[in-house]
Amino acid sequence: MNLRFSRKLFTLLTQNYRFPFSSTRVLLPQKHRIPFSSTRVLASFFFSTETPIKPLSSSDSSKLHRRIEVVRDQKVSIVPVLDQWVKEGNTVDRYQLVYLVRLLTDYKRFNHALEVSEWMTGRRFFTSTTEDAAVRLELIHRVRGIEEAENYFNKLPIELKTKCAYVAILHGCVREKSVQKAEAIMQEMTEGGMIISSFPYNLLINLYSQTGDFDKIPPLVKEMERNGITRDKYTMRNLIAASVAASDISTLEEILKLMEENPGLVLDWTVYAMAADAYLKVGSIETALTMLKKLEKWMTYRREKKAFNFLLTLYAKTGNKDELYRIWNLYKPSSRKDLEGAKEGFEICKRHLIGPALKIMDTSYCCMIESLSKLDDIEGAEKIYEEWESQCTTYDFRVLNRLLVAYCKKGLFKEAEAAIEKAVQGRTPHASTWNIMAMGYMEHDQMPKAVEMLKRAMLVARRGWKPLPILVNACLEYLERQGDAEDMKAFTRLLKNSELLTEDIYCKLLRTCIAARKSVADVLDQMKMNGFAVDEETQKILVTRPSL
């Protein structure tokens, strides 16, 4: 058996540490509290809940945050914004900056978070704490790479080179899948008496699972026992993920049994989701259904949306449409009141959090539409979409996109375009909406429509959005075959905004212009402006020009 674990589940379950933002004094009423899943696996290690954080409700703080929020492009520095703020006579203290780093990191604005961290000590001369050093180490790795992170780590003064910094560099090595470096860091931590929890071991188990070094995991677990380190729920999840990746169902069952018999290991829905997915991969549908029933029992205690979505996805994999609808009807968002409550909660969050305005998106509806599509129930998917559309308070094109994917998969382009035509009345669709249509037309060999849809996507795309290279190449090759030099030029100009221009694309454009007996002077000028030299390959194309 060659059992493979889905990347989505693996990412969710192997290291599910969270940093609850409610601990930073930004509290919502319980009925509106929204869980934030941190992008930083190390958050609980770096950010102590005892660190004093000042509330960000003051008008000055809000103004600063709004200025930073406007700078969405991470290639644009926010240091001038911070400098101007101080130049205007405004104050900013260390705690506000630490909070800002946390929020920017959680929104994956790593470059901006790093800029604030460095500005805090470089321009404001605030002294770094051990937490600050660990956070900056993690940010340096994400923005500048592991070598720069290692250089920063090696230069840290002894008082900042604590277990927090060691865990940060260890996590960097794990992310880079560098077994040798990770083991060396682990050895230093052991010799320095820094390993007092299961966290570093969990990272290594995760690493060995990803690199296929399954034989190293049992000795590591025994080492934990010898050192008196108790296995926690994350250890067990990582061991389950490793047994799945190693196609070791018997070990998976042993771990499940151990967790069910030991209340201290805190069984929850994620474990049963992993197990169900594993059994589905090997065709054990009945056993998978047993795991899903256990997952469903957990749902009766806590209605967590993420658990509900996985339950829908996994029931779709069983092929049992009746069970899928049963789960949907039991746990779906049931009324306009629910959606209004969610909207109120999001509005409260928007007044406190840095980042793009949070849009109401009922992921459960997206998940159900996608699940029905996998079961070829297009009619059912349409009804779910119509149900969502009838009660949504803010239109989100990502829900429509799920239906469009289902339509395109079946070649139902008239239905897809009709749905878009209705949705765009008074609204601007996302680039992804047109991109889905372009991919669908390409896959059904309708290239004129694919080109048209991709053009629409690039016209509305935000900076940094990129279509798939396979789609771009297919459209370019079609335009080259058509010999339409002007259309090719227009298409190439659009690609500049997507940062996808390459020398090969210009070569295609040159060949098209030459075949159409058009001047290439403007193309050569554009190449020069965009940093592309006329090299040997380009010269070979140019010598084929006929005299005009």
Side-chain angles (χ1 to χ4, degrees):
M1 294 182 296
N2 186 18
L3 179 61
R4 293 295 176 191
F5 199 66
S6 70
R7 181 176 296 181
K8 183 177 180 182
L9 277 172
F10 189 90
T11 302
L12 171 69
L13 300 169
T14 53
Q15 286 287 347
N16 199 24
Y17 291 94
R18 296 186 179 189
F19 174 65
F21 270 71
S22 58
S23 67
T24 59
R25 311 294 196 274
V26 180
L27 294 176
L28 306 179
Q30 185 64 41
K31 66 176 182 177
H32 297 313
R33 199 163 297 169
I34 300 169
F36 285 85
S37 180
S38 174
T39 59
R40 293 155 293 145
V41 143
L42 305 179
S44 61
F45 221 95
F46 295 163
F47 296 134
S48 169
T49 56
E50 296 178 358
T51 300
I53 299 296
K54 292 187 177 181
L56 298 179
S57 57
S58 70
S59 58
D60 284 348
S61 293
S62 298
K63 290 177 183 177
L64 175 59
H65 299 151
R66 282 196 292 272
R67 291 188 190 185
I68 291 174
E69 183 181 2
V70 171
V71 187
R72 300 287 178 82
D73 187 353
Q74 292 204 62
K75 293 182 180 179
V76 178
S77 174
I78 61 171
V79 170
V81 177
L82 296 167
D83 287 339
Q84 181 63 28
W85 177 260
V86 175
K87 186 177 179 181
E88 293 172 3
N90 298 303
T91 59
V92 60
D93 61 36
R94 182 183 182 283
Y95 304 114
Q96 291 172 324
L97 294 174
V98 169
Y99 188 87
L100 188 56
V101 171
R102 297 181 187 185
L103 290 177
L104 289 169
T105 301
D106 198 67
Y107 280 100
K108 299 184 180 181
R109 293 174 61 174
F110 301 120
N111 192 53
H112 289 161
L114 179 58
E115 286 185 331
V116 175
S117 176
E118 293 177 335
W119 187 85
M120 180 172 66
T121 54
R123 301 283 182 92
R124 306 305 297 166
F125 306 109
F126 292 124
T127 303
S128 290
T129 66
T130 56
E131 289 181 358
D132 295 334
V135 171
R136 186 178 299 181
L137 182 55
E138 173 80 358
L139 292 170
I140 289 172
H141 177 216
R142 287 185 177 276
V143 175
R144 299 170 186 164
I146 189 63
E147 290 186 6
E148 287 294 322
E150 289 176 328
N151 289 337
Y152 176 79
F153 175 76
N154 291 332
K155 293 177 183 178
L156 280 176
I158 190 66
E159 64 270 16
L160 296 181
K161 219 170 194 179
T162 62
K163 67 177 181 181
C164 287
Y166 269 94
V167 170
I169 196 66
L170 175 61
H171 183 242
C173 295
V174 170
R175 191 184 294 125
E176 297 291 331
K177 295 183 175 62
S178 178
V179 173
Q180 187 174 359
K181 288 182 179 180
E183 290 176 339
I185 293 295
M186 191 73 169
Q187 183 62 33
E188 287 186 35
M189 292 181 70
T190 302
E191 292 173 356
M194 300 179 194
I195 301 180
I196 58 175
S197 73
S198 64
F199 192 67
Y201 287 105
N202 294 342
L203 287 174
L204 268 194
I205 293 171
N206 193 356
L207 173 62
Y208 291 148
S209 181
Q210 293 182 62
T211 58
D213 294 318
F214 303 112
D215 57 325
K216 293 184 176 182
I217 294 177
L220 190 64
V221 174
K222 289 183 179 179
E223 181 183 321
M224 287 181 67
E225 295 174 353
R226 286 197 304 270
N227 293 334
I229 304 297
T230 303
R231 289 180 289 181
D232 60 16
K233 62 180 180 180
Y234 303 110
T235 310
M236 305 307 291
R237 289 177 186 176
N238 285 0
L239 291 174
I240 288 176
S243 64
V244 171
S247 305
D248 190 349
I249 295 297
S250 61
T251 299
L252 168 64
E253 292 174 340
E254 288 176 8
I255 296 171
L256 278 175
K257 182 180 179 182
L258 179 62
M259 294 188 76
E260 289 177 334
E261 293 175 349
N262 189 339
L265 293 176
V266 192
L267 262 172
D268 62 20
W269 69 271
T270 59
V271 173
Y272 290 123
M274 292 179 79
D277 194 63
Y279 286 119
L280 286 170
K281 289 295 194 305
V282 297
S284 298
I285 303 297
E286 292 302 318
T287 311
L289 287 170
T290 300
M291 296 296 107
L292 292 179
K293 293 296 183 185
K294 291 183 178 182
L295 196 166
E296 190 179 344
K297 285 182 180 179
W298 189 90
M299 283 287 294
T300 63
Y301 298 106
R302 292 181 60 190
R303 290 189 171 218
E304 186 171 328
K305 182 179 292 185
K306 190 175 291 185
F308 177 39
N309 293 347
F310 271 91
L311 196 57
L312 291 174
T313 301
L314 292 169
Y315 265 117
K317 287 185 178 182
T318 68
N320 193 322
K321 190 190 301 186
D322 291 338
E323 283 293 285
L324 179 63
Y325 274 110
R326 181 184 66 80
I327 293 297
W328 173 255
N329 290 326
L330 273 175
Y331 301 111
K332 70 177 180 178
S334 58
S335 68
R336 181 178 295 274
K337 182 179 178 181
D338 293 339
L339 293 173
E340 290 294 343
K343 181 180 180 181
E344 185 181 346
F346 277 121
E347 290 300 324
I348 293 171
C349 282
K350 284 166 62 177
R351 293 197 292 269
H352 293 282
L353 302 178
I354 294 295
L358 293 173
K359 299 181 69 176
I360 297 174
M361 174 191 174
D362 197 316
T363 56
S364 299
Y365 278 94
C366 290
C367 191
M368 185 60 175
I369 292 170
E370 197 169 10
S371 297
L372 290 171
S373 173
K374 290 177 181 178
L375 297 177
D376 291 327
D377 187 359
I378 298 299
E379 183 178 347
E382 289 174 329
K383 290 179 179 178
I384 295 297
Y385 171 75
E386 290 168 1
E387 179 183 324
W388 169 81
E389 190 179 36
S390 69
Q391 59 184 358
C392 71
T393 54
T394 301
Y395 195 91
D396 194 320
F397 275 92
R398 287 171 289 187
V399 183
L400 171 64
N401 286 353
R402 300 307 196 280
L403 183 61
L404 295 180
V405 170
Y407 280 142
C408 290
K409 180 181 176 182
K410 292 293 184 180
L412 301 174
F413 295 111
K414 288 184 179 180
E415 290 82 350
E417 292 199 13
I420 294 176
E421 184 178 353
K422 178 183 177 183
V424 298
Q425 295 177 10
R427 306 182 184 104
T428 302
H430 295 178
S432 58
T433 300
W434 300 118
N435 186 68
I436 288 169
M437 296 298 295
M439 287 294 295
Y441 279 120
M442 181 196 74
E443 290 168 357
H444 285 78
D445 201 25
Q446 297 186 38
M447 291 310 300
K449 293 291 290 185
V451 172
E452 176 191 342
M453 294 298 164
L454 184 53
K455 284 181 179 178
R456 292 187 184 184
M458 291 189 291
L459 283 170
V460 300
R462 291 182 177 180
R463 186 175 181 86
W465 180 85
K466 297 179 182 180
L468 290 175
I470 187 174
L471 175 60
V472 174
N473 291 334
C475 290
L476 287 168
E477 288 173 4
Y478 167 77
L479 291 173
E480 185 177 1
R481 290 195 303 271
Q482 294 300 110
D484 189 337
E486 294 306 314
D487 203 14
M488 186 78 152
K489 286 181 181 179
F491 191 83
T492 304
R493 283 193 293 270
L494 288 173
L495 284 175
K496 181 181 178 181
N497 297 330
S498 301
E499 302 177 355
L500 284 174
L501 279 179
T502 63
E503 184 180 343
D504 182 60
I505 289 175
Y506 274 116
C507 287
K508 284 184 171 66
L509 178 56
L510 286 170
R511 287 194 298 266
T512 304
C513 290
I514 291 171
R517 303 182 69 83
K518 300 286 186 180
S519 172
V520 298
D522 58 336
V523 178
L524 294 173
D525 288 341
Q526 284 297 319
M527 287 183 65
K528 184 177 180 180
M529 288 178 58
N530 293 319
F532 294 98
V534 178
D535 58 11
E536 183 178 349
E537 182 64 25
T538 310
Q539 288 289 356
K540 289 180 182 179
I541 296 171
L542 293 176
V543 297
T544 64
R545 283 182 296 176
S547 56
L548 300 177

